């Protein structure tokens, strides 16, 4: 007779073991270990001893400019090995949750629409065991707490109505530090560097609308010794302890940087005021929306334009504010994604389907070209001069990369979205596989 064992189709969930957030309200990522919550909810069936286990996880990334749903399917074949990512179903909608700050019911409707993706992907038989989680990032971090809470409460109501498993603290705001760390886990998993005792890893650069993150594994002790304690995070994954340099800069995402450069972030009377910048064509008059507000913006018709004066505007946002790590020149290979990737595509620096390797100097050269000839560039991208100048400034004068530093620009690795969501899923999967019986 064949050997059998209880073979649970176990749910996946985020494991927030990394860094505690100091926020006090209910919907802030607490850093707690949720594994104990699942001992009584796993449904079990009998199966052969050599059977693999399949895990599903539904993860919402509620960013400042859009909301994304990731439905992951993992296969875990043995206790010691890394899980296999069998499939990712991905979709996204715009704008972000923060755009509905004054009408949270619209945010709920948007989440309901995205949940249809999950229902079409996860087998119905395991809906009740498949956890449903939403973590919001910089868009909600920038909102007044009461408005952020109202949005997340609306999402919680939608989740509670769903057929999926809704764990405690399933809807919350993810700390910027955890966002950077989990993105690092994602990229190192997808590039094959996340295995026991590894010494070769890749760093990550994430540029969102409201915040930006840098995370890497330092090679020099001076990098660790010369920064505040909260720039260093220690955590364990797959029997290896990592000590990472990681920092998230709220208010330094690409959209927030535009507003900061124009003095719009702290301004009153938005409906009556047009904000001006040397980084737009002289005759430009337009607007853009961010964080639930619409901003009127103009070029400066009687002033100079061009790369030099635009760069000086962006330098005020970065210089002396963004920390420069001691080591970068000899550090890990860095993967840059989100708006780094999007604006490189807009500038025709890389192919959207393939991505590519760029030096910081490539961003600088293109920024000069665009800013010095703004009237000749695509009117669909009026902010391209400003955005390329900011990216150059952030990399060079902010983080301290050399101009010849090479970055891997990517949106997907092995056809999987580069984001923190996968890293969160992997963290929990690693925990539950280490605490679930496997026969010898």
């Amino acid at each position: 007779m064949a050997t059998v064992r209880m073979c649970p189709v176990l749910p996946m969930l985020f494991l927030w073991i990394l860094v505690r957030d100091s926020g006090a309200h209910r919907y802030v990522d607490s850093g707690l270990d949720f594994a104990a919550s699942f001992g009584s909810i796993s449904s079990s069936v009998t199966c052969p001893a050599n059977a693999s286990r399949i895990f599903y996880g539904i993860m919402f990334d509620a960013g400042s400019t859009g909301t994304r749903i990731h439905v992951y399917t993992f296969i875990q074949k043995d206790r010691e090995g890394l899980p296999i990512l069998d499939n990712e179903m991905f979709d996204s909608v715009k704008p972000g949750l923060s755009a509905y700050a004054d009408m949270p019911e619209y945010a709920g409707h948007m989440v309901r629409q995205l949940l249809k993706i999950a229902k079409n992907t996860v087998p119905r038989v395991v809906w009740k065991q498949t956890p449903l989680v939403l973590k919001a990032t910089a868009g909600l971090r920038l909102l007044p707490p009461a408005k952020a809470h109202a949005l997340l409460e609306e999402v919680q109501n939608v989740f509670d109505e769903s057929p999926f498993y809704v764990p405690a603290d399933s809807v919350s705001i993810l700390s910027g530090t955890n966002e950077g760390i989990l993105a690092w886990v994602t990229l190192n998993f997808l590039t094959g560097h996340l295995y026991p005792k590894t010494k070769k890893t890749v760093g990550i650069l994430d540029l969102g609308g409201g915040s930006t993150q840098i995370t890497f594994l330092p090679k020099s002790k001076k990098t660790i010794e010369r920064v505040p304690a909260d720039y260093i995070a220690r955590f364990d994954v797959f029997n290896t302890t990592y000590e990472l340099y990681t920092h998230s800069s709220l208010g330094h995402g690409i959209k927030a940087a535009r507003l900061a450069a124009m003095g719009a972030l702290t301004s009153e009377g938005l409906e009556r005021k047009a904000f001006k910048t040397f980084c737009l064509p002289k005759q430009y008059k337009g607007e853009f929306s961010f964080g639930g507000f619409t901003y009127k913006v103009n070029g400066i018709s009687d002033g100079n334009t061009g790369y030099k004066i635009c760069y000086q505007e962006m330098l005020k946002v970065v210089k002396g504010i963004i920390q420069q790590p001691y080591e970068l020149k000899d550090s890990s290979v860095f993967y840059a994604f989100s708006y780094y990737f999007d604006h490189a595509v807009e500038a025709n620096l890389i192919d959207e389907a393939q991505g590519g390797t760029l030096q910081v100097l490539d961003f600088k050269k293109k920024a000069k070209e665009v800013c010095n000839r703004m009237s000749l560039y695509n009117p669909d991208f009026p902010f391209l001069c400003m955005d390329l100048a900011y990216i150059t400034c952030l990399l060079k004068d902010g983080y301290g990369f050399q101009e010849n530093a090479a970055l891997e620009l990517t949106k997907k690795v092995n056809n999987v979205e580069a984001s923190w969501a996968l890293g969160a899923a992997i963290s929990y999967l690693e925990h539950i596989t280490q605490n679930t019986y496997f026969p010898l």
Side-chain angles (χ1 to χ4, degrees):
M1 186 173 66
T3 302
V4 297
R5 65 181 174 87
M6 300 306 288
C7 183
V9 181
L10 290 174
M12 287 178 50
L13 183 65
F14 299 94
L15 177 61
W16 304 118
I17 61 172
L18 304 180
V19 180
R20 266 182 204 276
D21 194 288
S22 59
H25 63 82
R26 170 188 170 194
Y27 289 110
V28 171
D29 158 20
S30 65
L32 298 176
D33 180 351
F34 294 110
S37 303
F38 293 95
S40 60
I41 62 115
S42 297
S43 64
S44 299
V45 296
T46 59
C47 61
N50 62 351
S52 300
R53 292 177 300 164
I54 299 175
F55 304 83
Y56 296 93
I58 306 167
M59 309 184 189
F60 279 83
D61 172 359
S64 59
T65 58
T67 299
R68 304 113 195 164
I69 183 172
H70 305 259
V71 185
Y72 296 116
T73 305
F74 280 93
I75 300 173
Q76 183 70 31
K77 291 189 173 182
D78 61 77
R79 182 187 179 101
E80 300 299 328
L82 289 172
I84 297 170
L85 178 59
D86 184 61
N87 184 55
E88 178 200 44
M89 186 63 69
F90 171 82
D91 203 355
S92 64
V93 295
K94 293 182 178 182
L97 288 185
S98 57
Y100 304 111
D102 296 317
M103 41 186 178
E105 65 277 6
Y106 283 85
H109 175 72
M110 179 185 66
V111 171
R112 283 190 184 92
Q113 295 304 306
L114 286 174
L115 274 175
K116 293 178 181 179
I117 305 294
K119 290 179 180 179
N120 290 331
T121 304
V122 179
R124 183 184 291 267
V125 69
V126 293
W127 279 1
K128 290 184 179 180
Q129 289 79 44
T130 299
L132 178 61
V133 177
L134 179 143
K135 298 296 176 184
T137 56
L140 266 66
R141 289 184 215 131
L142 289 167
L143 282 182
K147 290 190 174 184
H149 184 277
L151 282 168
L152 295 179
E153 194 165 44
E154 180 68 24
V155 173
Q156 185 72 61
N157 292 336
V158 173
F159 277 19
D160 290 341
E161 296 168 0
S162 80
F164 298 104
Y165 178 74
V166 181
D169 200 27
S170 60
V171 179
S172 63
I173 297 175
L174 178 64
S175 72
T177 299
N178 275 353
E179 186 177 353
I181 293 171
L182 294 174
W184 182 89
V185 172
T186 293
L187 266 296
N188 281 280
F189 176 81
L190 293 175
T191 56
H193 294 103
L194 196 65
Y195 54 86
K197 310 305 179 185
T198 182
K199 293 185 178 180
K200 182 181 180 182
T201 60
V202 300
I204 67 100
L205 294 165
D206 189 358
L207 181 59
S211 66
T212 185
Q213 284 76 231
I214 179 172
T215 305
F216 64 95
L217 184 65
K219 295 179 180 178
S220 171
K221 290 185 178 180
K222 290 183 179 179
T223 300
I224 298 172
E225 295 168 352
R226 295 186 179 188
V227 296
D230 60 356
Y231 279 61
I232 303 299
R234 290 175 58 89
F235 72 102
D236 296 304
V237 63
F238 297 116
N239 301 314
T240 301
T241 299
Y242 295 97
E243 190 171 50
L244 298 181
Y245 177 103
T246 183
H247 188 64
S248 176
S249 298
L250 185 61
H252 287 88
I254 200 78
K255 301 291 182 69
R258 291 179 188 174
L259 299 174
M262 294 184 286
L265 274 179
T266 57
S267 183
E268 301 289 339
L270 298 181
E271 69 281 357
R272 301 185 303 273
K273 186 177 295 185
F275 298 95
K276 297 183 178 182
T277 172
F278 292 108
C279 297
L280 287 170
K282 287 186 176 184
Q283 304 306 319
Y284 179 83
K285 292 185 178 181
E287 59 185 34
F288 79 96
S289 297
F290 177 68
F293 296 99
T294 297
Y295 299 85
K296 297 178 181 178
V297 292
N298 296 344
I300 300 176
S301 58
D302 58 349
N304 296 323
T305 59
Y307 173 78
K308 186 174 181 179
I309 194 166
C310 178
Y311 195 88
Q312 290 301 312
E313 274 196 19
M314 307 317 295
L315 194 61
K316 292 184 294 184
V317 181
V318 169
K319 194 69 172 178
I321 300 172
I322 300 293
Q323 172 84 31
Q324 290 193 5
Y326 172 77
E327 63 170 289
L328 278 182
K329 182 173 62 175
D330 299 321
S331 189
S332 309
V333 173
F334 273 83
Y335 277 71
F337 44 95
S338 301
Y339 280 111
Y340 288 114
F341 178 90
D342 294 342
H343 292 312
V345 170
E346 290 174 6
N348 295 316
L349 285 168
I350 58 172
D351 178 78
E352 184 171 14
Q354 301 296 323
T357 303
L358 294 178
Q359 293 183 334
V360 175
L361 182 60
D362 294 319
F363 279 110
K364 180 180 178 180
K365 287 180 177 178
K366 182 59 72 169
K368 284 185 174 182
E369 180 183 323
V370 173
C371 291
N372 291 337
R373 304 175 68 188
M374 275 191 279
S375 61
L376 302 179
Y377 270 81
N378 191 333
D380 292 335
F381 305 124
F383 291 92
L384 190 56
C385 163
M386 176 178 263
D387 293 340
L388 291 175
Y390 177 67
I391 287 173
T392 306
C393 189
L394 177 63
L395 293 172
K396 187 171 176 288
D397 292 284
Y399 294 136
F401 282 99
Q402 301 295 311
E403 288 192 352
N404 63 354
L407 307 175
E408 297 294 329
L409 276 290
T410 188
K411 189 176 185 69
K412 293 186 176 184
V413 177
N414 298 329
N415 207 36
V416 177
E417 288 288 319
S419 84
W420 58 263
L422 176 59
I426 291 167
S427 295
Y428 185 76
L429 179 60
E430 188 269 344
H431 181 85
I432 61 176
T433 57
Q434 294 301 312
N435 289 277
T436 302
Y437 171 70
F438 275 90
L440 297 175

